[in-house]
């Protein structure tokens, strides 16, 4: 009779021993999180401004790569660039406008984000070439500020709306 009781007790002991060994071997569950995760914070690197000569050279290269542009010249003043393109003089006005638009699209992708004014007017292009040559000879660009303003005024004869609003606010305050 003892054998009858002993066998079930041994079986029960083995079952309990097996279950307790299983519990010890199982890994602890990961603590519940509230849905957040720790990650390393990164910020985009700010654009490093390049010198005006390097920016002008890059803009000239981009503008010259557009089909039907024979050559280009650029003068950079602050964040604004004036790019002169030389195209075939026999092209009609609408075709020149299309080429200027293509150059503007190419320059819009510039990594420095230079705002460029594009002209195909031969007189202005010649003036830009002369200014560019003087700058490369070491003459300070500040001396050309008025001439550049005149050129920009010929390219964009209408003042920007923000400038007009600012001038109107000043005149109403006085």
């Amino acid at each position: 009779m003892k054998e009858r009781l002993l066998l079930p007790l041994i079986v029960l002991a083995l079952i309990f021993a097996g279950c307790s060994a299983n519990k010890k071997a199982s890994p602890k569950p990961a603590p519940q999180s509230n849905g957040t995760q720790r990650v390393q914070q990164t910020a985009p690197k700010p654009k490093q401004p390049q010198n005006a000569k390097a920016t002008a050279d890059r803009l000239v290269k981009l503008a010259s790569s557009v089909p039907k542009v024979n050559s280009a010249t650029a003068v950079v003043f602050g964040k604004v660039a004036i790019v002169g393109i030389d195209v075939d003089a026999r092209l009609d006005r609408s075709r020149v406008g299309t080429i200027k638009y293509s150059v503007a699209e190419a320059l819009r992708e510039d990594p420095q984000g230079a705002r460029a004014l594009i002209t195909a007017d031969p007189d202005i292009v010649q003036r830009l070439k002369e200014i560019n040559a003087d700058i490369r000879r070491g003459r300070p660009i500040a001396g050309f500020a008025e001439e550049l303003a005149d050129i920009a005024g010929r390219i964009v004869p209408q003042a920007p709306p923000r400038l007009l609003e600012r001038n109107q606010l000043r005149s109403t305050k006085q």
Side-chain angles (χ1 to χ4, degrees):
M1 195 138 155
K2 280 186 176 181
E3 289 176 359
R4 279 187 183 178
L5 274 173
L6 192 56
L7 188 59
L9 284 175
I10 293 175
V11 171
L12 279 174
L14 287 174
I15 291 174
F16 285 122
C19 287
S20 66
N22 242 353
K23 283 186 181 179
K24 290 178 187 173
S26 69
K28 291 183 180 180
Q32 291 288 339
S33 68
N34 60 356
T36 59
Q37 208 174 22
R38 289 184 175 246
V39 295
Q40 181 180 357
Q41 296 294 317
T42 58
K45 293 182 180 179
K47 292 180 182 175
Q48 295 297 324
Q50 289 187 342
N51 65 25
K53 182 182 180 289
T55 301
D57 290 343
R58 190 177 56 257
L59 295 177
V60 165
K61 185 176 179 182
L62 286 170
S64 297
S65 69
V66 173
K68 302 285 185 185
V69 174
N70 298 332
S71 66
T73 187
V75 176
V76 177
F77 188 68
K79 291 184 179 182
V80 177
I82 302 175
V83 179
I85 57 172
D86 178 34
V87 295
D88 187 359
R90 294 173 291 181
L91 292 174
D92 63 15
R93 194 174 185 153
S94 64
R95 182 67 182 137
V96 172
T98 303
I99 295 169
K100 284 172 49 178
Y101 182 79
S102 298
V103 170
E105 287 295 311
L107 298 182
R108 187 172 294 151
E109 300 299 321
D110 178 55
Q112 291 295 317
R115 286 186 262 154
L117 302 173
I118 293 91
T119 183
D121 182 290
D123 177 47
I124 295 177
V125 171
Q126 184 58 39
R127 286 170 66 183
L128 288 173
K129 285 180 182 179
E130 291 168 6
I131 291 171
N132 204 352
D134 286 344
I135 290 170
R136 291 183 191 272
R137 280 189 229 120
R139 190 169 165 203
I141 195 167
F144 303 111
E146 193 170 310
E147 190 169 356
L148 289 173
D150 289 342
I151 291 171
R154 281 186 65 184
I155 296 170
V156 184
Q158 182 180 347
R162 279 187 254 136
L163 180 63
L164 291 175
E165 290 172 9
R166 201 174 334 147
N167 288 340
Q168 288 174 352
L169 286 175
R170 285 183 188 159
S171 64
T172 56
K173 287 181 182 178
Q174 293 175 356

